[in-house]
């Protein structure tokens, strides 16, 4: 489980699955960790060399001071691939992880074999909404960040019936350092990758959540319509479809990557 030095900070990653299988890089969402992919791991590890990492400032990774950009996050992902010895890999990302995966496919397309974009967009929210989020969380702390996140991540029915999952994800948000959270929010505030979507040549699976308020299906349709070799699937879920509809999501992922 190596650490990579990056501008005075460190990136932690782990490799699992089969050493002789195709590499697969998994990128998590804002305020979560590599554990976001836990429910997909048994199926993926049986078929791939799975590389997961904690993005800058999350989990076991630390972050440099100041605001971050989507380019920095994308170059972090490339550093992980380099250190893991993966010249080319399938790449899958959720939300901010999906935005990072879009950057990779646009700017380092030769490194991306197949692309999975889940509950994400080439432009997530607006500058105003992210500026407001930064302000509110700075004032109220990560308790406020958790209060805002959980109802958007999961539908009402799922939350009511999965108290243990809610507790685990709330704890994950609370464990994220405030400055790291704000830094990632600044990348989301400034990132707009829509104009370069036609540069993506990788075969692409887009997974949308029918109840996703953070990246609604219309955002997924923009991805589908502007990436040449893309198709879209819809799951009855909110923003973290890979958790809320884990079995269906995993089946889509395995079928596509096979």
């Amino acid at each position: 489980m190596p650490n990579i030095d990056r501008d005075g900070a460190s990136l932690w990653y782990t490799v699992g699955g089969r050493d002789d299988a195709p590499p697969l890089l998994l990128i998590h969402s804002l305020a979560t960790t590599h554990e976001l992919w836990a429910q997909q791991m048994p199926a993926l590890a049986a078929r791939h060399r799975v590389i997961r990492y904690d993005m800058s400032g999350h989990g076991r990774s630390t972050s440099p001071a100041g605001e971050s950009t989507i380019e920095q996050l994308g170059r972090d992902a490339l550093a992980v691939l380099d250190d893991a010895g993966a010249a080319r890999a399938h790449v899958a990302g959720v939300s901010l992880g999906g935005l990072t995966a879009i950057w990779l496919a646009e700017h380092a397309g030769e490194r991306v074999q197949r692309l999975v974009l889940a509950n994400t967009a080439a432009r997530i929210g607006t500058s105003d909404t992210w500026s407001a989020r930064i302000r509110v969380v700075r004032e109220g702390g990560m308790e406020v960040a958790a209060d805002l996140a959980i109802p958007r991540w999961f539908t009402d029915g799922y939350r009511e019936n999965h108290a243990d999952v809610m507790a685990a994800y709330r704890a994950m948000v609370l464990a994220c350092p405030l400055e790291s959270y704000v830094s990632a929010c600044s990348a989301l505030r400034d990132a707009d990758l829509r104009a370069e979507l036609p540069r993506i040549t990788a075969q692409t699976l887009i997974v949308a959540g029918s109840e996703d308020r953070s990246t609604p299906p219309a955002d997924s349709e923009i991805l589908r319509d502007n990436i040449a070799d893309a198709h879209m699937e819809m799951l009855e879920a909110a923003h973290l479809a890979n958790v809320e509809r884990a079995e269906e999501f995993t089946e889509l992922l395995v079928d596509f990557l096979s």
Side-chain angles (χ1 to χ4, degrees):
M1 299 181 183
N3 285 279
I4 307 168
D5 291 331
R6 293 282 293 163
D7 300 323
S10 66
L11 284 174
W12 177 94
Y13 74 92
T14 183
V15 181
R18 293 171 41 200
D19 287 339
D20 63 339
L24 168 61
L25 179 70
L26 303 177
I27 314 177
H28 65 82
S29 61
L30 173 68
T32 65
T33 72
H34 72 286
E35 289 293 341
L36 177 66
W37 296 97
Q39 289 169 277
Q40 281 71 56
M41 278 302 295
L44 295 178
R47 298 165 174 84
H48 298 278
R49 180 174 182 250
V50 184
I51 305 164
R52 292 181 294 165
Y53 70 102
D54 289 338
M55 71 171 60
S56 178
H58 293 64
R60 303 184 197 186
S61 294
T62 60
S63 61
E67 297 183 343
S68 62
T69 67
I70 195 61
E71 180 178 356
Q72 288 172 323
L73 297 180
R75 294 197 180 282
D76 286 347
L78 287 174
V80 170
L81 288 175
D82 288 344
D83 203 71
R88 197 160 184 251
H90 302 307
V91 179
V94 174
S95 192
L96 175 56
L99 187 64
T100 305
I102 292 170
W103 187 93
L104 282 177
E106 290 179 349
H107 296 276
E110 73 283 357
R111 306 295 298 273
V112 179
Q113 190 166 352
R114 291 192 178 187
L115 182 65
V116 180
L117 305 176
N119 299 98
T120 193
R123 175 58 170 152
I124 300 177
T126 67
S127 295
D128 289 343
T129 59
W130 287 111
S131 293
R133 174 77 64 88
I134 290 169
R135 183 173 62 253
V136 167
V137 173
R138 279 202 180 282
E139 292 171 355
M142 292 306 293
E143 288 279 353
V144 171
D147 290 342
L148 292 170
I150 299 299
R152 300 180 75 89
W153 286 356
F154 306 103
T155 60
D156 293 345
Y158 187 84
R159 294 201 313 274
E160 291 168 4
N161 293 304
H162 296 83
D164 55 336
V165 178
M166 297 308 100
Y169 274 86
R170 185 175 185 85
M172 203 179 290
V173 177
L174 295 177
C176 183
L178 187 147
E179 290 302 325
S180 297
Y181 180 87
V182 167
S183 178
C185 286
S186 69
L188 285 159
R189 179 195 64 204
D190 299 336
D192 187 347
L193 304 181
R194 289 174 292 186
E196 295 182 292
L197 286 173
R199 294 179 60 177
I200 296 176
T201 58
Q203 187 175 348
T204 303
L205 169 65
I206 299 156
V207 182
S210 60
E211 309 304 314
D212 189 349
R213 292 183 288 140
S214 297
T215 52
D219 287 343
S220 294
E221 291 167 1
I222 291 172
L223 297 176
R224 180 197 63 199
D225 294 344
N226 287 276
I227 297 173
D229 191 0
H231 76 276
M232 175 178 157
E233 299 284 350
M234 185 90 71
L235 295 178
E236 188 177 341
H239 193 52
L240 296 186
N242 74 304
V243 178
E244 187 164 355
R245 290 287 181 263
E247 186 175 342
E248 298 98 315
F249 184 97
T250 302
E251 184 177 349
L252 287 174
L253 198 58
V254 168
D255 287 349
F256 175 69
L257 295 178
S258 298

